[in-house]
Amino acid sequence: MKPLKENGSDKPKKNEKDRKKLQKLVAKNMEETLKRIEEAEPGTESSEDSPFVSGEGDSDDGDNDGDLVSEGEDDDNYHAEDSHGESDDSREVVEESDSSEDEVAPRNTVGDVPLEWYKDEGHIGYDLAGKKIKKKERQSKLDSFLANVDDSRSWRKIYDQYNDEEVELTKDETKLIGRLLKGKAPHPDFDPYAPYVDWFAWDGAKHPLSNAPEPKRRFIPSKWESKTVLRLVRAIRKGLIKFDEKPKEKPRFFDLWDDSTSAERQGLAYIPAPKAKLPGHDESYNPSAEYIPTQEEINAYQLLFEEDRPKFIPKQFANMRSVPAYDKSVQELFDRHLDLYLCPRVHKKRINIDPESLKPKLPSRRDLKPYPSTCYLEYKGHKGPVITISVESTGQWLASGSKDGTVRIWEIETGRCVQIWDLGEPVEQVSWNPKPEVPMLAVAVGHDVFILNTKCGSDEQQKTIEEILHVEPQKVEDDSDSTANVVTWGQDEKHGGIRLKHFKLSKKQTQRIPFKTKGIPVATSFHPTRSIFFTATKKDVRVYDLIKQKRIKKLDAGVREISSIAIHPGGDNAIVGSRDGKLCWFDMDLSSKPYKVLRAHKKDLTAVAYHRTYPLFASCSDDNTAYVFHGMVYSDLNENPLIVPLQILRGHSTGDGRGVMDCKFHPRQPWLFTAGSDSLIKLYCH
């Protein structure tokens, strides 16, 4: 054990001797360096001093003060070498050239491969012959320091890590680096302030350098600049750009848990996420007894729905080490992240509106009486579907036409059939004469029209009707004559009236209508007071002025196919029925589009009708129902018509797949007549 102690005590003594020896060497080198500097002071500046510190008299062509090394002393500085008498440059000076061929090729050919890959290898790459370039032995830092102290040109040496060699800079290279460090031109002969030399000979020049015309931007104000100025002026007026206003200083510190300050800090559009609820007393590891539920309460939680159960049940522990890990911590953290990421947060202005206030304020049906609501009478007698009905203008008689080829006259109040005509073909339309003094009936059968004497008037009226219905026989004219009549008027002795036979539909007897109807006409109607004619095709309704002989309006119903049309007694409104169960109300003073579209019926609408005096209108359909509506048209043009559904009339049965075929109002009473495919006519009264 004694030798070990001696060896252990000798080790620090040895390190102390090495340290003292190193200090002596450093002091000796410093003394030699100082002597060398003192010897060089009387003469010219030593070439070994760094050229990056310029002398007092250094200048570059008399203009550039503070250059690296003065031009006049270059030769003296670099030829008055150290005491060894060696030349300044150990390698041959190469003339400057811009050619890339004069550059010395690198010795190492590894390219862009990082040298770190070779740090554990014995070589650093490969030369042009493909041989390995061995690494040189590295000196320790102490040896390299001592070598640099002894070498007066160590400040000019640079280690090339790529080729693993030291490169010594030449005089010109050091001067160039010094000029670049000072922000000057690399070449000393370059004059940055040389006088301008005009290389173009202007004397005797007759033409400009370019014959291109002057661009407009040189003499026309820029419209883009004016737009920019206008935009800035508007921004200043709106207050978006403010002058002489100090920017608001943002507070360096803010309350982390304050939602209002964070929202103001981020701007108006920013909505901070809601803060998580802080734990309370019930989540303590040792809560009070009042927070701990009993076993009965825990059993009652199991009977609740899952979303109604409490998520956390408090428990009591003796200390913190007894608290187990929370099994739902990951799930709750994940749900919290989903809420922050997926739930949008937007400021919405909430308006408290009563839903009942959004409903239109319609009058009560009791206030809109009278209107038809109950079936009062049935007219039986037809053997086929009743297609058309018409009410006499006095309201005493009712005419009906059926597919069985018969036309019947009924007394409305009693339901008694007073007259029957058998025309042999299905009846298409019946209509009374609007004048009550001449009670005649027009019946359309096939291509013919019968005008019949109903014999419902007094004796004087009968004489007048017989005179009207007496027609002399007409001669048949050539078809080529352009003045040929549309119909032939012939006496019908069998039915006691006149028969109008259509033989050439392309000619008109009374008036040549200049307009052409586009599409197949479905229904027609006259204006109640003016000479205006309505023609309904399958897609639209065209309105013509018979005096001016031109079209004045086109009503676009926007339905699949139009089936019927009726004109309001005032003449400014119309209703149109369609095959897809829609009823369109048109306000012709307002627009050519429907004012209201009522989707009441489930099947095709067959007929629509207005009442002459009461604000009522009705529609019937193949679904065996008839709808009665209240339709009030006000004299004030600023007030829209009031439309209120009143009653659904049922009672007809289906026949041949059809339902209610026609409907008409009584001219004086709020009564409605309906004709069905079940060969019945019903009267609905209030």
Side-chain angles (χ1 to χ4, degrees):
M1 297 301 292
K2 188 174 182 180
L4 292 175
K5 290 183 180 180
E6 291 178 357
N7 293 338
S9 60
D10 292 341
K11 190 172 183 180
K13 294 181 180 180
K14 186 178 181 180
N15 293 337
E16 187 176 356
K17 290 180 180 180
D18 293 341
R19 193 181 302 109
K20 290 181 179 180
K21 186 178 180 180
L22 179 61
Q23 290 177 356
K24 290 180 180 180
L25 290 174
V26 172
K28 184 179 180 179
N29 290 332
M30 291 296 293
E31 291 177 359
E32 292 179 359
T33 303
L34 291 174
K35 288 180 181 179
R36 232 182 257 135
I37 293 173
E38 291 175 357
E39 291 176 359
E41 279 182 357
T44 59
E45 185 184 16
S46 175
S47 62
E48 308 309 324
D49 294 337
S50 174
F52 299 103
V53 182
S54 58
E56 296 179 358
D58 294 346
S59 63
D60 187 9
D61 297 336
D63 297 332
N64 301 330
D65 296 336
D67 202 352
L68 293 175
V69 182
S70 61
E71 298 294 335
E73 299 178 357
D74 287 343
D75 297 337
D76 297 336
N77 291 341
Y78 287 92
H79 286 291
E81 200 56 70
D82 55 5
S83 60
H84 300 286
E86 295 177 358
S87 62
D88 180 62
D89 294 334
S90 62
R91 56 178 178 168
E92 183 180 357
V93 178
V94 181
E95 295 183 359
E96 295 181 1
S97 174
D98 295 336
S99 176
S100 61
E101 297 178 356
D102 297 337
E103 297 180 358
V104 180
R107 189 162 63 98
N108 197 352
T109 59
V110 294
D112 295 334
V113 175
L115 295 179
E116 295 180 358
W117 295 2
Y118 293 94
K119 64 180 181 180
D120 298 332
E121 302 292 337
H123 61 285
I124 61 169
Y126 303 90
D127 57 6
L128 296 175
K131 297 181 179 180
K132 295 182 179 180
I133 301 176
K134 300 294 183 179
K135 290 183 180 179
K136 295 181 180 180
E137 294 183 1
R138 298 289 181 89
Q139 295 181 348
S140 63
K141 290 186 178 181
L142 179 60
D143 294 338
S144 61
F145 172 74
L146 296 176
N148 291 337
V149 171
D150 295 336
D151 190 1
S152 60
R153 285 187 267 176
S154 61
W155 60 272
R156 290 169 54 185
K157 293 182 180 179
I158 300 174
Y159 176 68
D160 184 6
Q161 188 179 6
Y162 188 74
N163 294 313
D164 194 20
E165 61 181 3
E166 285 188 353
V167 180
E168 185 177 349
L169 300 178
T170 63
K171 174 187 64 175
D172 295 334
E173 290 173 348
T174 55
K175 290 172 64 178
L176 186 142
I177 293 172
R179 293 181 64 85
L180 290 176
L181 290 175
K182 292 183 178 182
K184 297 181 179 181
H187 204 282
D189 297 336
F190 174 75
D191 186 8
Y193 307 105
Y196 174 72
V197 178
D198 193 358
W199 301 101
F200 184 75
W202 295 95
D203 298 337
K206 297 181 180 180
H207 300 284
L209 294 178
S210 175
N211 284 333
E214 289 289 332
K216 289 185 177 181
R217 63 178 178 272
R218 295 188 181 178
F219 53 88
I220 293 180
S222 175
K223 63 178 181 179
W224 306 111
E225 291 181 0
S226 63
K227 287 183 178 180
T228 304
V229 172
L230 182 61
R231 185 170 64 253
L232 294 175
V233 170
R234 289 177 178 173
I236 293 172
R237 290 177 179 175
K238 291 180 180 180
L240 301 178
I241 299 177
K242 298 180 180 179
F243 301 98
D244 301 332
E245 184 177 352
K246 296 181 180 179
K248 295 182 179 179
E249 295 183 0
K250 296 182 179 179
R252 294 180 57 189
F253 308 101
F254 57 90
D255 189 1
L256 182 64
W257 299 100
D258 189 4
D259 293 340
S260 61
T261 56
S262 60
E264 294 173 359
R265 186 174 66 257
Q266 298 290 342
L268 295 176
Y270 174 75
I271 304 173
K275 302 297 181 181
K277 183 181 178 181
L278 296 177
H281 295 290
D282 54 345
E283 296 183 7
S284 173
Y285 76 95
N286 189 14
S288 302
E290 58 199 35
Y291 292 103
I292 301 175
T294 60
Q295 187 63 35
E296 296 179 358
E297 293 177 347
I298 295 176
N299 296 335
Y301 293 158
Q302 304 299 325
L303 301 176
L304 299 175
F305 291 103
E306 186 176 357
E307 57 270 11
D308 297 334
R309 297 175 189 171
K311 296 182 179 180
F312 178 76
I313 299 177
K315 294 181 180 180
Q316 194 173 21
F317 299 94
N319 47 47
M320 287 287 292
R321 285 182 293 177
S322 302
V323 179
Y326 185 44
D327 55 346
K328 298 182 180 179
S329 59
V330 177
Q331 181 65 32
E332 289 185 358
L333 184 62
F334 179 70
D335 294 340
R336 171 67 176 172
H337 288 171
L338 287 182
D339 293 341
L340 297 176
Y341 173 61
L342 297 178
C343 296
R345 295 181 292 275
V346 181
H347 281 297
K348 289 186 177 180
K349 294 182 180 180
R350 186 174 181 179
I351 303 175
N352 295 324
I353 299 178
D354 186 11
E356 296 295 332
S357 64
L358 299 177
K359 295 181 180 180
K361 295 181 180 179
L362 299 178
S364 175
R365 293 197 302 171
R366 296 180 181 179
D367 301 335
L368 301 178
K369 289 184 177 182
Y371 57 85
S373 59
T374 307
C375 182
Y376 175 73
L377 192 62
E378 290 184 356
Y379 303 88
K380 298 181 180 179
H382 286 286
K383 298 180 181 180
V386 182
I387 298 176
T388 175
I389 56 177
S390 179
V391 184
E392 195 254 340
S393 57
T394 60
Q396 185 178 359
W397 310 102
L398 172 69
S400 62
S402 173
K403 267 191 175 183
D404 58 4
T406 60
V407 176
R408 294 173 180 263
I409 303 296
W410 309 84
E411 188 177 7
I412 293 177
E413 294 183 356
T414 60
R416 180 172 58 91
C417 182
V418 296
Q419 190 76 18
I420 300 176
W421 292 277
D422 188 1
L423 302 179
E425 295 182 27
V427 179
E428 301 292 338
Q429 191 74 28
V430 295
S431 179
W432 284 90
N433 185 13
K435 289 185 177 183
E437 302 86 14
V438 187
M440 295 187 300
L441 184 67
V443 182
V445 179
H447 293 286
D448 298 341
V449 176
F450 291 87
I451 301 177
L452 305 176
N453 184 4
T454 59
K455 299 179 181 180
C456 295
S458 60
D459 296 339
E460 296 180 359
Q461 292 176 352
Q462 291 299 319
K463 292 180 181 179
T464 305
I465 293 173
E466 290 177 359
E467 292 177 359
I468 294 174
L469 296 180
H470 180 71
V471 179
E472 297 292 337
Q474 296 180 350
K475 296 181 180 180
V476 179
E477 299 181 0
D478 188 8
D479 292 348
S480 62
D481 187 4
S482 60
T483 62
N485 295 331
V486 177
V487 297
T488 56
W489 295 69
Q491 196 74 34
D492 188 6
E493 300 293 343
K494 180 179 179 182
H495 304 101
I498 300 175
R499 184 171 185 174
L500 285 72
K501 292 186 177 181
H502 294 66
F503 68 94
K504 198 169 184 62
L505 300 178
S506 61
K507 295 182 180 180
K508 283 76 180 176
Q509 177 187 8
T510 59
Q511 182 179 1
R512 183 176 296 276
I513 302 176
F515 46 80
K516 294 183 179 179
T517 57
K518 295 184 179 180
I520 301 175
V522 176
T524 58
S525 181
F526 282 98
H527 194 279
T529 57
R530 299 168 58 187
S531 58
I532 294 178
F533 182 64
F534 294 83
T535 301
T537 61
K538 291 185 177 181
K539 295 296 181 183
D540 51 28
V541 178
R542 298 173 185 267
V543 186
Y544 298 96
D545 192 336
L546 298 178
I547 296 177
K548 297 180 180 179
Q549 297 184 357
K550 66 176 183 180
R551 192 185 75 185
I552 58 176
K553 192 178 287 292
K554 179 182 177 182
L555 306 178
D556 187 8
V559 296
R560 185 181 65 187
E561 183 179 347
I562 296 175
S563 60
S564 56
I565 184 175
I567 311 301
H568 191 269
D572 294 333
N573 295 270
I575 52 176
V576 174
S578 65
R579 296 289 183 187
D580 50 1
K582 296 180 182 179
L583 177 63
C584 304
W585 178 294
F586 284 92
D587 189 347
M588 290 181 284
D589 293 336
L590 181 64
S591 172
S592 60
K593 299 290 184 180
Y595 164 66
K596 289 286 185 182
V597 178
L598 306 176
R599 297 173 177 85
H601 296 279
K602 298 180 181 179
K603 293 186 178 181
D604 300 354
L605 267 74
T606 54
V608 291
Y610 274 110
H611 200 285
R612 293 185 184 179
T613 55
Y614 288 90
L616 299 173
F617 68 95
S619 64
C620 58
S621 171
D622 283 338
D623 58 0
N624 297 325
T625 61
Y627 280 69
V628 181
F629 301 88
H630 174 85
M632 174 61 73
V633 178
Y634 300 96
S635 58
D636 187 5
L637 297 179
N638 294 327
E639 193 168 358
N640 295 326
L642 176 63
I643 302 175
V644 181
L646 296 177
Q647 189 70 31
I648 302 176
L649 305 178
R650 295 181 175 89
H652 288 278
S653 59
T654 304
D656 297 334
R658 303 299 300 274
V660 182
M661 305 297 293
D662 196 5
C663 63
K664 289 291 188 299
F665 277 103
H666 193 277
R668 298 181 180 180
Q669 298 293 334
W671 300 346
L672 181 67
F673 297 91
T674 59
S677 60
D678 53 357
S679 69
L680 295 178
I681 302 172
K682 293 180 178 291
L683 170 61
Y684 293 89
C685 299
H686 61 283

